[in-house]
Amino acid sequence: MAFFSVDSKARTPGDRAADGPRHGHDRAPHRRRHGGPLRRGRLGVALVAVSALALSGCFSDGGSSAPADASLGEPLKVTQIGFPNEITLVWALKKGLFAKHGIAVEPVTLASASSAVAAADSGQVDLAFSGGWGAIVAASQGVKVKIVMGAYFNPTPPDPTRSRGVFASTKSSAKTYCDLVGKTVGVTELNGPGQVYTSAAVRRAGCDDKKIKYVNIPSAQMATSLKGGAVDAINASGAIGQTLVREGGAVWLGEPYADVQGRINYADYVASEKFVAGNADRIAKFRAAMDESLRQIKDPANEAEWQQMAADFGKTTVEAIRASQFEELSSEVDRAALQKMADLAHEFGAISTRVDTSGLVHESA
């Protein structure tokens, strides 16, 4: 999705939360013509990876390192990645809103949204900060998870000067989605939403998306890959792509998520069905605290404070946040949009089994 710090090595929430697992290597980009269906077992691999992680909370409720109030019961373990647009959780922690609503929350830092879903499925954490895409992929593999509340949507309509999207090198001569045919496009995950929505944008423009070569490139290498000619275009955050545009090295072709579908469930909180079944009250308290956090964040009087808090948490600057198109913070889950995402994933071969998302969203969401 979109984001923040103009440094090309900055963490980009859109690329991570919705674009699937992080590939923490620096090897040369992996090339693949047109990815086939995801295979069962990806989540199993993620489970092995997450079992090796040191799951550690960055701070407890209220933003201090003090132990949670024992009267609030066992802390709810909630994953975080470190993006500025996780501000709803961060604000609630710093302001003591979870304690106010009678629940303790322990934030658990993980490297990616995909490992978060695996950690929730294995019971290592209670709630996973993930994208709607991650929940759909998990469901297609038979993993029993539920989306219990939303976190944010992609910003619409996209601002051509601030939005994330597809950025083509000025050397490629590409000006439209159809111009990507026969070219190489960098994405953060093969068969992930970046690839699928780019292909969908090309196909809906009347061109042959199967003639696009997709290359797996870690977000931190996107800018150098485009500059160096390894790829003709990238699907990247606004922080990366718009910087290249301002430097004169790229042009913005569009924002496929918005162009293909409009609104998408960019990020959500996901839990295992087993956890949901036995913890309705705890989930309700978490939701109540997060909704209060959203109301406070949306109060214009708190704008400067939350932006500084988000910048500190995401290791970026307030100026970078204001220069980018921030996501639409919301606890809502758009069920129709989620089903459209699942249908696209199946249509373009990212999942082998069609997912009916009506059973993927918890009734309270």
Side-chain angles (χ1 to χ4, degrees):
M1 342 220 254
F3 232 93
F4 285 122
S5 173
V6 294
D7 179 355
S8 64
K9 295 184 179 179
R11 288 171 144 186
T12 55
D15 294 337
R16 292 274 69 80
D19 288 1
R22 168 170 301 188
H23 302 280
H25 50 65
D26 293 321
R27 67 188 182 195
H30 175 62
R31 296 178 179 271
R32 192 165 161 189
R33 171 63 64 178
H34 185 75
L38 293 174
R39 302 297 182 212
R40 290 183 66 90
R42 165 176 286 185
L43 202 68
V45 173
L47 279 168
V48 173
V50 79
S51 67
L53 291 173
L55 302 182
S56 58
C58 284
F59 44 79
S60 59
D61 194 23
S64 73
S65 58
D69 186 342
S71 68
L72 300 176
E74 185 72 18
L76 195 69
K77 293 183 178 180
V78 182
T79 71
Q80 60 184 16
I81 301 175
F83 300 142
N85 47 16
E86 293 175 81
I87 183 58
T88 308
L89 177 70
V90 177
W91 182 277
L93 286 162
K94 293 284 189 178
K95 297 296 181 178
L97 299 182
F98 292 116
K100 176 182 176 181
H101 287 272
I103 189 171
V105 168
E106 177 187 342
V108 177
T109 301
L110 295 179
S112 72
S114 61
S115 59
V117 174
D121 178 58
S122 69
Q124 292 177 286
V125 300
D126 302 316
L127 297 181
F129 172 74
S130 180
W133 186 272
I136 289 166
V137 170
S140 77
Q141 298 173 350
V143 179
K144 303 297 184 182
V145 294
K146 291 282 188 183
I147 297 174
V148 298
M149 67 173 289
Y152 50 81
F153 296 96
N154 58 315
T156 54
D159 181 342
T161 65
R162 301 168 65 227
S163 174
R164 66 151 293 111
V166 175
F167 300 88
S169 168
T170 51
K171 299 175 184 177
S172 73
S173 74
K175 298 291 192 299
T176 69
Y177 286 131
C178 281
D179 292 335
L180 296 175
V181 174
K183 292 185 168 58
T184 302
V185 179
V187 293
T188 56
E189 180 196 4
L190 294 175
N191 284 318
Q195 175 176 328
V196 166
Y197 278 85
T198 299
S199 290
V202 172
R203 186 179 296 183
R204 293 183 183 195
C207 299
D208 189 355
D209 63 284
K210 293 184 179 180
K211 292 183 178 178
I212 300 172
K213 180 184 293 183
Y214 288 98
V215 180
N216 172 214
I217 303 176
S219 183
Q221 297 177 19
M222 283 285 189
T224 54
S225 295
L226 192 70
K227 288 179 179 179
V231 294
D232 301 299
I234 54 175
N235 186 311
S237 69
I240 294 171
Q242 296 292 354
T243 299
L244 293 169
V245 171
R246 288 191 292 271
E247 293 173 349
V251 294
W252 183 76
L253 303 188
E255 203 284 85
Y257 303 107
D259 293 339
V260 170
Q261 181 173 320
R263 198 185 200 202
I264 69 167
N265 291 272
Y266 215 153
D268 305 294
Y269 286 94
V270 180
S272 69
E273 285 189 357
K274 180 179 179 181
F275 178 81
V276 169
N279 292 275
D281 182 59
R282 298 173 76 197
I283 292 171
K285 290 176 179 178
F286 177 81
R287 172 69 179 262
M290 292 287 276
D291 281 340
E292 182 170 354
S293 178
L294 279 170
R295 289 192 296 271
Q296 292 183 8
I297 289 169
K298 292 179 180 181
D299 183 341
N302 294 326
E303 182 176 67
E305 185 178 2
W306 78 252
Q307 287 181 347
Q308 185 62 62
M309 192 181 293
D312 292 344
F313 179 73
K315 295 180 174 59
T316 183
T317 66
V318 170
E319 291 73 24
I321 286 177
R322 291 174 178 169
S324 299
Q325 194 170 11
F326 207 87
E327 282 75 6
E328 176 196 344
L329 300 175
S330 174
S331 60
E332 175 194 354
V333 177
D334 187 326
R335 287 165 168 78
L338 190 68
Q339 187 61 60
K340 287 180 182 178
M341 177 181 279
D343 291 343
L344 271 177
H346 185 250
E347 178 185 348
F348 284 83
I351 56 177
S352 58
T353 304
R354 186 180 183 276
V355 173
D356 179 357
T357 60
S358 63
L360 188 56
V361 183
H362 188 252
E363 59 187 18
S364 65

